[in-house]
């Protein structure tokens, strides 16, 4: 019997903002995707340096594409996404799909953020506030090809504005990451871990090889990376025409606003 979506998956996604389809990838596909992701790792580091975090989109590079096509067409995945969201939500588009990799040399982490609102300079926050709960938008995917413990998130934050404790933790924009200047490897690792844990209500997402995590990217989340743990995780969206159109519009608006001198609006400035 193939993968079966359950009411628990639906409840988790709606209430917590994420769910995991455990062991949904067949081992043969994991093997093929590991092989092509190894090539992606080399290309990313050649182009972006040893600390590269990803290669995206895979369709723009000279990599063997059939395993990515098999991932996009995997019947269990297509069916589960259609049942959880809708048949209009499509994964595996190679114009969006990327491969997340481990840094080659030093630990580091991203800042805590909610996608678009906190990491697109110049964004009109009214656009985000109007749509951050819309399930036609903001559905992100991490599909692990090796065990992956890099992602942290705050369950339930996708369905609300920031809590007072979250505003207190990150009162300013842009959000600052941890200070890693002049720190050695072990210090960087510990500082990043403490930074992750400093967000109230957070948890670490544990994925095993073949697990598929579907989460709302409007949830508070972060990535924390160490060089000694191999990573090859497919990073993707359950894309819709609405999200395509919305993304294009807000990026165009953000570009105009940046040219006018806007850096990044504070989403909580009127709530203090």
């Amino acid at each position: 019997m193939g993968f079966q979506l359950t009411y628990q998956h639906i409840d988790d996604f709606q209430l917590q903002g994420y769910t995991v389809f455990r062991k949904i990838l067949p081992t043969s596909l994991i093997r093929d995707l590991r092989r092509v992701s190894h090539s992606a790792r080399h290309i990313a580091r050649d182009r972006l340096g040893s600390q590269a975090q990803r290669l995206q989109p895979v369709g723009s590079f000279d990599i063997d594409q059939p395993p990515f096509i098999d991932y996009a067409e995997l019947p269990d995945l297509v069916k589960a996404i259609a049942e959880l969201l809708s048949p209009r939500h499509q994964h595996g588009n190679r114009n969006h799909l990327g491969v997340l990799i481990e840094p080659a040399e030093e630990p580091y982490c991203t800042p805590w953020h909610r996608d678009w609102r906190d990491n697109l300079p110049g964004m009109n926050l009214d656009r985000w506030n109007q749509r951050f709960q819309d399930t036609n938008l903001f559905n992100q995917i991490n599909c692990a090809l090796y065990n992956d413990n890099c992602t942290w998130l705050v369950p339930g934050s996708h369905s609300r504005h920031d809590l007072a404790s979250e505003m207190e933790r990150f009162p300013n924009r842009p959000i600052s990451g941890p200070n890693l200047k002049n720190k050695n490897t072990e210090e960087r690792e510990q500082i990043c871990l403490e930074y992750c844990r400093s967000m109230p209500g957070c948890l670490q997402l544990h994925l095993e090889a073949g697990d598929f995590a579907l989460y709302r990217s409007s949830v508070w989340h972060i990535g924390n990376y160490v060089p000694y743990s191999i990573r090859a995780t497919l990073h993707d969206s359950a894309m819709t025409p609405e999200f395509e159109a919305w993304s294009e519009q807000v990026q165009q608006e953000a570009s105009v606003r940046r040219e006018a001198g806007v850096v990044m609006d504070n989403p909580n400035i009127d709530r203090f």
Side-chain angles (χ1 to χ4, degrees), residues 47-109:
R47 287 173 172 265
L48 302 173
S50 62
Q51 290 295 99
Q53 184 214 17
R54 70 180 70 192
L55 188 74
Q56 193 171 16
V58 296
S60 296
F61 299 94
D62 184 19
I63 308 174
D64 189 26
Q65 296 293 318
F68 297 121
I69 296 172
D70 292 340
Y71 160 76
E73 297 177 352
L74 184 66
D76 279 352
L77 261 182
V78 172
K79 182 173 182 287
I81 292 171
E83 290 177 344
L84 182 63
L85 291 167
S86 83
R88 299 169 56 260
H89 289 76
Q90 303 290 314
H91 79 287
N93 185 325
R94 285 171 291 141
N95 292 320
H96 299 288
L97 178 63
V99 180
L100 303 178
I101 62 174
E102 79 283 0
E105 296 178 358
E106 295 288 349
Y108 77 99
C109 68

Side-chain angles (χ1 to χ4, degrees), residues 116-117 120-125 127-128 246 250 254 257 263 265:
W116 297 84
R117 189 196 74 169
L120 178 62
M123 182 176 180
N124 180 349
L125 294 187
R127 299 290 188 192
W128 193 88
W246 184 90
V250 299
R257 298 182 85 228
V263 178
D265 293 337

